[in-house]
Amino acid sequence: RGIKSAQLTLHVGAGTFQPVKTDELYLHEMHCEHFLIDSGTIQLLIENLGKIVPVGTTSVRTLESLYWLGVKLIQNPLVEAPVLTLGQWDSYILETNISAKDSLEAILSFMKLRNSDYLRAMTSIMIVPGYEFRITNGMVTNFHQPRSTLLLLISAWTGNRWKDIYSFALKNRFRFLSYGDSSLLLK
């Protein structure tokens, strides 16, 4: 059917599944995840912007992190760090009028200058309601537990519709958590 796929390496830690234990989101400390992505995959993303449907909320976090890492490179092209890093709240602080294409091309330029086919990066991005998705156009994901950062990401994507989606899943005995049933969430 002409659907393209790509892979990336993401080192997911136990922190991904830690519940939010604070009453104020900004007090929750998001763990850091390391990822590796090749230039061919970034080029494929550029060529398919508007049609990107990651599988898994952690893949969504990684792709959205790519956008913000590119923004950081555009704002500071002289970065010398061996590993690019995105902080928990960077996506809410950085300038936002940069296109996804320009951002991803900045990453490719960064890689080319370093003569590297792979980008190694770290992200602590926390996607919560109010977040504006830059690369993701849909997602395939499991059903997540209450108070998890993964459910916050789903809520950021669906708004309050997540409650209806989860009610349907519960009424129909869908399996929850990492090895449970999946859903396709589109705008």
Side-chain angles (χ1 to χ4, degrees):
R1 296 184 180 207
I3 298 172
K4 298 174 184 166
S5 66
Q7 295 182 0
L8 55 86
T9 301
L10 173 63
H11 298 281
V12 179
T16 294
F17 306 100
Q18 292 294 321
V20 176
K21 295 177 182 173
T22 61
D23 290 334
E24 302 293 332
L25 279 179
Y26 69 89
L27 295 176
H28 176 77
E29 186 176 336
M30 192 69 182
H31 66 286
C32 184
E33 293 177 338
H34 297 257
F35 65 90
L36 179 73
I37 189 167
D38 66 71
S39 58
T41 299
I42 295 173
Q43 186 60 47
L44 190 63
L45 289 169
I46 292 169
E47 293 166 5
N48 290 280
L49 285 170
K51 302 179 275 186
I52 309 294
V53 181
V55 176
T57 49
T58 53
S59 295
V60 171
R61 286 183 65 221
T62 302
L63 294 181
E64 292 298 313
S65 294
L66 278 176
Y67 171 80
W68 293 106
L69 291 171
V71 168
K72 287 178 88 169
L73 287 171
I74 289 169
Q75 291 178 351
N76 183 9
L78 302 177
V79 168
E80 289 297 327
V83 177
L84 295 180
T85 303
L86 186 67
Q88 178 169 333
W89 302 112
D90 284 355
S91 63
Y92 300 91
I93 298 167
L94 295 168
E95 182 181 342
T96 58
N97 65 350
I98 295 169
S99 73
K101 182 176 189 259
D102 289 345
S103 174
L104 293 172
E105 286 176 346
I107 292 172
L108 286 178
S109 295
F110 175 82
M111 294 166 69
K112 187 174 182 180
L113 283 172
R114 280 145 189 82
N115 199 28
S116 177
D117 288 332
Y118 293 91
L119 174 72
R120 294 181 186 279
M122 299 183 324
T123 183
S124 296
I125 190 174
M126 189 156 165
I127 299 176
V128 299
Y131 177 83
E132 183 181 336
F133 290 83
R134 306 299 178 147
I135 293 181
T136 302
N137 304 107
M139 67 183 82
V140 175
T141 186
N142 304 96
F143 292 92
H144 307 289
Q145 61 187 338
R147 298 191 64 87
S148 69
T149 59
L150 305 175
L151 186 55
L152 284 170
L153 187 151
I154 298 302
S155 178
W157 180 260
T158 64
N160 282 331
R161 293 188 345 236
W162 75 268
K163 295 174 185 176
D164 297 332
I165 295 165
Y166 275 59
S167 289
F168 181 86
L170 286 167
K171 287 177 188 170
N172 289 281
R173 305 180 131 200
F174 286 19
R175 292 169 297 167
F176 277 54
L177 306 178
S178 295
Y179 298 104
D181 293 309
S182 293
S183 60
L184 171 63
L185 303 176
L186 301 170
K187 285 286 182 185

